[in-house]
Amino acid sequence: MVFDVQKETLPRDKLEALQLKRLKYLLQKIYHNVPFYKQKFKELGLGPENLKSLSDLRQMPFTEKQDLRNNYPFGMFAVPRESVVRVHASSGTTGKATVVGYTQRDVETWAGLMARSFEAAGATRTDIIHNSYGYGLFTGGLGAHYGAEALGATILPVSGGATKRQVMLMRDFGSTVLCCTPSYSLHLYETALASGISISDLKLRVGIFGAEPWTEEMRQDIQNKLELKALDIYGLSEIMGPGVGMECIAAQDGLHIWEDHFLPEIIDPDSGEPLPVGEKGELVITTLTKEAQPLLRYRTRDITRINPVPCRCGRTHYRIERITGRSDDMLIIRGVNVFPSQIESILLETEGLSPHYQLVIDREGGMDTLEVRVEVHENMFSDEIRHLQRLEKKISGHIKEFLGVTAKTTMVEPQGIARSEGKAQRIIDRRKK
Ligand SMILES: [Zn+2]
């Protein structure tokens, strides 16, 4: 089903006309209300009047995460602070947090887009939605929460943590939709089995997974174990939160970006030049309707490509391919670019391994080293040591062959890698210390 048939199936020409109208208004608004943008435009010798068509967007300035930090906390607001009804912020593990403000209308738009996303996932008002995304300054919990209410479904605001209790609630309440990170869904699965709850005791049919990059192999693994349809959701707090894009259950093949509210571009991350539709690069998003904190050409650092092929679900909004990594996450090991998702694919294609892994990068004698620590299944671990050694060698061989880097693979006992209740900590880079 489609939540907002009129908007989600607009013919491309009408959709683009709407985007242009909204974009022109946005430029006027940020130019006159956000000193940061006025300054940026002046530096480039441009003004809002220079945008006459969507293709003129390529001349306009970018916004970087650092710009948000430099204007901490409220310097990017385009409305008086009193008009802001809610503030979210990123964790800010390094340096200052990234702050995002919302007007009453922004909060309502967000709920509507999350409801749209739920419906694209096949959820309806009859569903019971178990929401394990964290509630708080992080956008995940509250974003999904208000979207589920706008849909009219029953929301369980469980948040993160107390995993054993979560599994019991899921069984007792008969939850049908699960919202969490992909890695946490596997933790829930293991906890269920360990608590004597079998998957047939649960009624889950759809999982809406996001907030960390994952692979197609991981999807298959989750679908087999939890016996549900696993769908990908996209969002980032700077732009809004979850619900910027959503994979539809009809095609299960890429995420529709809600283009009446967000204008996507793909650029070359090094040169900043826009790439033709279909090429892989960095996703850049312009918010078209946000009032409190509109962003022009925000560099997400997420690597993907746009798929313009019409979708079988009937929605006209373009899809992006699943995010294979962030350009921030890209590891450079002895000069070779490696995304953790590439290693994940290799691990999950190998028989006998679990999807729990960690990449440890270090430096020895001026040379980068990569260690891939991966858990083996229970039955494998009891095998002879030489079987494990053979497996380690095989994985290192595949990594060398496909990615061109030398890695040491270490098998870890089952449960040997710490489980996370939010985003999995997959990379330990000791070179930075
Ligand atoms: Zn679709």
Side-chain angles (χ1 to χ4, degrees), residues 248 256 311 313:
C248 62
H256 292 282
C311 186
C313 71

Side-chain angles (χ1 to χ4, degrees), residues 4 12 53 61 98 153-154 163 322 351 387 399 423 433:
D4 187 342
R12 282 307 299 182
S53 69
T98 315
T154 308
T163 307
R322 82 171 46 248
E351 192 81 29
H387 285 148
I399 291 172
K423 299 183 190 200
K433 284 176 189 157

Side-chain angles (χ1 to χ4, degrees), residues 62-266:
F62 288 116
T63 311
E64 309 254 5
K65 193 176 191 122
Q66 191 57 42
D67 298 325
L68 272 63
R69 291 202 184 110
N70 293 346
N71 290 281
Y72 176 89
F74 300 150
M76 296 297 279
F77 287 1
V79 296
R81 207 273 312 143
E82 308 86 276
S83 304
V84 171
V85 300
R86 200 197 301 172
V87 169
H88 280 285
S90 73
S91 47
T93 42
T94 53
K96 280 178 179 160
T98 315
V99 174
V100 199
Y102 304 78
T103 63
Q104 186 61 46
R105 210 179 110 192
D106 287 336
V107 167
E108 284 160 18
T109 303
W110 186 11
L113 291 177
M114 259 317 290
R116 201 192 265 197
S117 302
F118 275 122
E119 190 137 350
T124 69
R125 54 182 303 283
T126 62
D127 276 298
I128 299 180
I129 301 177
H130 182 104
N131 185 16
S132 308
Y133 285 122
Y135 281 65
L137 285 172
F138 171 60
T139 50
L142 288 171
H145 183 99
Y146 285 104
E149 288 189 351
L151 180 68
T154 308
I155 180 86
L156 307 176
V158 194
S159 197
T163 307
K164 205 168 165 183
R165 185 166 146 265
Q166 295 219 13
V167 178
M168 276 166 49
L169 291 177
M170 231 168 358
R171 180 194 59 191
D172 299 346
F173 293 176
S175 308
T176 50
V177 177
L178 170 64
C179 298
C180 62
T181 57
S183 58
Y184 190 62
S185 77
L186 290 170
H187 185 35
L188 283 167
Y189 168 77
E190 291 172 346
T191 307
L193 295 196
S195 328
I197 294 174
S198 94
I199 298 308
S200 58
D201 297 332
L202 306 178
K203 293 202 174 73
L204 293 176
R205 58 182 189 84
V206 173
I208 295 173
F209 301 125
E212 69 186 15
W214 53 316
T215 57
E216 190 54 36
E217 291 79 7
M218 180 97 150
R219 189 216 299 268
Q220 296 305 334
D221 192 47
I222 292 171
Q223 293 197 145
N224 292 338
K225 286 178 172 159
L226 284 162
E227 296 171 19
L228 46 66
K229 281 265 187 192
L231 299 168
D232 203 358
I233 186 164
Y234 180 69
L236 62 170
S237 63
E238 299 90 315
I239 294 298
M240 177 178 81
V244 173
M246 180 71 213
E247 197 166 44
C248 62
I249 195 164
Q252 213 185 10
D253 182 23
L255 305 94
H256 292 282
I257 293 285
W258 304 129
E259 286 190 89
D260 48 340
H261 295 271
F262 308 105
L263 186 63
E265 297 172 85
I266 299 290

